[in-house]
């Protein structure tokens, strides 16, 4: 962070005193105007004149500071917002004349963190109208001495095929970048079409993210390669279960690996248990894989079971295999 000196206590007290005096003058003046009174006492008149002088000085300095700040903001805005007068390649993107740049570093075009194009520009198969980049700045002795772009979001028109996924180009399509700003890998998008993976229909609007594997605190790295977030108002069907608010992971073959969390959208009978709508459902959580691989873990809210096996009144989780057979009932952890 760049350190910024804080104003002294005496300065703050002086400013507070000036504005307080101005407020007193304003109230005093309104009282004289609306009550149609004048100060006949010589001492009061002198005090009023002194307060008026202080108030005028405060208002003048306030207006002067405001005008200076406005001027500096205009200059700053001009230094950080540029328009290309001629076509130019920046960040490995061929930008046309008229492109509007928002810069991370003043007057340095290569440091752009956003660019809006007057016409579509082809970027990784996308008819792009705007790009946004995250910039990591290098700071030395409180000065920015360099920068590195880390990822790119492309917004455009139509549908774009990325890594086998049909992405909605009107929503940000994300890529990781090399240190020089060149696109490295596809990382995220919003699905433009209903898409079937491992017999599961993912609705349009589903958010997709590439993954290198979920990491755990004990050093374990999972095998997931795609993370899928289904829209909260959309329903998907997995093993005959209707689910909403689903968060899925897929392996490198795009097969279902885990459902990190979802809600049953309707009352569901599995084996001898009936689960209420709204119950939380997970598939293949890591803590169950050794004993119950590829099993469902479904929460049992109080009073949601139509039939309860003996001695399970305090149990709150049911384990089912993917055919619906009840494997076990676990107590709350």
């Amino acid at each position: 962070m760049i350190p910024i000196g804080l104003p002294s206590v005496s300065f703050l007290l002086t400013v507070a005193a000036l504005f307080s005096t101005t407020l007193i003058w304003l109230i005093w003046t309104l009282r004289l105007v609306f009550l149609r009174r004048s100060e006949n006492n010589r001492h009061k008149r002198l005090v009023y004149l002194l307060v008026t002088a202080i108030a005028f000085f405060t208002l003048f300095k306030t207006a002067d500071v405001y005008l200076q700040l406005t001027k500096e903001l205009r200059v700053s805005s001009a230094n950080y917002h540029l328009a290309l007068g001629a076509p130019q390649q920046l960040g490995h993107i061929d930008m046309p004349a008229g492109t509007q740049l928002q810069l991370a570093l003043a007057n340095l075009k290569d440091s752009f963190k956003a660019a809006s194009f007057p016409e579509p520009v082809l970027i990784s198969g996308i008819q792009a109208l705007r790009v946004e980049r995250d910039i990591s700045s290098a700071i030395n002795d409180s000065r920015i001495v360099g920068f590195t772009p880390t990822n790119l979001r492309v917004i455009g028109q139509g549908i774009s095929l990325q890594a086998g996924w049909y992405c909605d180009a009107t929503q940000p399509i994300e890529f990781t970048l090399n240190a020089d700003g060149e696109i490295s890998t596809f990382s995220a998008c919003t699905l433009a079409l209903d898409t079937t993976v491992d017999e599961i229909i993912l609705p349009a609007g589903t958010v997709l993210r590439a993954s290198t594997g979920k990491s755990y605190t004990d050093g374990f790295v999972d095998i997931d390669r795609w993370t899928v977030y289904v829209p909260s108002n959309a329903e998907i069907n997995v093993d005959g279960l209707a689910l909403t608010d689903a968060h899925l992971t897929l392996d490198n073959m795009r097969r279902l690996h885990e459902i990190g969390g979802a809600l049953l959208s309707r009352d569901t009978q599995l084996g001898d248990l009936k689960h209420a709508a709204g119950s939380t459902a997970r598939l293949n959580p890591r803590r169950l894989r050794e004993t119950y691989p590829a099993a469902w873990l479904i929460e049992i809210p109080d009073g949601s079971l139509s039939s309860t096996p003996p001695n399970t009144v305090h149990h709150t989780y049911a384990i089912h295999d993917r055919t619906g057979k009840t494997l076990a009932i676990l107590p709350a952890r």
Side-chain angles (χ1 to χ4, degrees), residues 34-51:
F34 287 103
L35 295 181
R36 300 182 181 277
R37 297 178 57 182
S38 61
E39 296 294 358
N40 296 321
N41 185 292
R42 182 172 178 273
H43 175 71
K44 286 186 176 182
R45 285 201 303 271
L46 291 176
V47 172
Y48 177 74
L49 290 175
L50 176 61
V51 171

Side-chain angles (χ1 to χ4, degrees), residues 161-240:
L161 183 63
Q162 300 290 334
W165 301 97
Y166 288 96
C167 298
D168 181 0
T170 65
Q171 302 295 319
I173 299 177
E174 298 185 25
F175 302 87
T176 58
L177 299 177
N178 295 322
D180 64 354
E182 186 176 12
I183 288 177
S184 174
T185 56
F186 165 72
S187 60
C189 78
T190 300
L191 296 182
L193 308 170
D194 290 354
T195 303
T196 301
V197 292
D198 202 7
E199 300 182 354
I200 302 169
I201 300 176
L202 302 176
T206 293
V207 175
L208 171 80
R209 289 194 170 277
S211 172
T212 55
K214 182 179 179 181
S215 299
Y216 292 81
T217 55
D218 63 358
F220 175 78
V221 179
D222 218 335
I223 66 169
D224 54 294
R225 291 298 175 263
W226 300 98
T227 304
V228 176
Y229 301 91
V230 179
S232 58
N233 60 348
E235 181 180 283
I236 62 172
N237 191 290
V238 183
D239 295 342

Side-chain angles (χ1 to χ4, degrees), residues 16-57:
L18 289 173
F19 279 103
S20 297
T21 303
T22 302
L23 180 61
I24 292 171
W25 169 80
L26 178 61
I27 295 173
W28 196 343
T29 301
L30 290 174
R31 181 173 175 270
L32 294 176
V33 170
F34 287 103
L35 295 181
R36 300 182 181 277
R37 297 178 57 182
S38 61
E39 296 294 358
N40 296 321
N41 185 292
R42 182 172 178 273
H43 175 71
K44 286 186 176 182
R45 285 201 303 271
L46 291 176
V47 172
Y48 177 74
L49 290 175
L50 176 61
V51 171
T52 300
I54 294 173
F56 276 32
F57 171 79

Side-chain angles (χ1 to χ4, degrees), residues 107-275:
N107 298 314
L108 187 59
K109 295 178 183 178
D110 284 327
S111 75
F112 73 91
K113 58 183 181 180
S116 297
F117 309 123
E119 58 194 43
V121 172
L122 186 63
I123 302 175
S124 192
I126 305 166
Q127 292 294 324
L129 297 173
R130 177 178 172 85
V131 296
E132 299 171 353
R133 299 194 305 179
D134 289 333
I135 302 292
S136 176
S137 299
I139 299 175
N140 185 25
D141 293 332
S142 303
R143 294 174 54 249
I144 297 177
V145 295
F147 68 92
T148 303
T150 56
N151 60 62
L152 178 75
R153 293 177 295 279
V154 183
I155 304 167
Q157 56 191 20
I159 296 174
S160 175
L161 183 63
Q162 300 290 334
W165 301 97
Y166 288 96
C167 298
D168 181 0
T170 65
Q171 302 295 319
I173 299 177
E174 298 185 25
F175 302 87
T176 58
L177 299 177
N178 295 322
D180 64 354
E182 186 176 12
I183 288 177
S184 174
T185 56
F186 165 72
S187 60
C189 78
T190 300
L191 296 182
L193 308 170
D194 290 354
T195 303
T196 301
V197 292
D198 202 7
E199 300 182 354
I200 302 169
I201 300 176
L202 302 176
T206 293
V207 175
L208 171 80
R209 289 194 170 277
S211 172
T212 55
K214 182 179 179 181
S215 299
Y216 292 81
T217 55
D218 63 358
F220 175 78
V221 179
D222 218 335
I223 66 169
D224 54 294
R225 291 298 175 263
W226 300 98
T227 304
V228 176
Y229 301 91
V230 179
S232 58
N233 60 348
E235 181 180 283
I236 62 172
N237 191 290
V238 183
D239 295 342
L241 303 183
L243 304 173
T244 58
D245 271 342
H247 162 210
L248 298 75
T249 63
L250 311 174
D251 64 15
N252 61 344
M253 299 298 292
R254 304 191 183 182
R255 295 172 301 203
L256 178 62
H257 173 60
E258 181 180 357
I259 296 181
L263 300 176
L264 297 179
S265 60
R266 58 181 69 106
D267 292 350
T268 303
Q269 185 77 39
L270 288 177
D272 54 355
L273 300 179
K274 184 177 182 180
H275 295 283

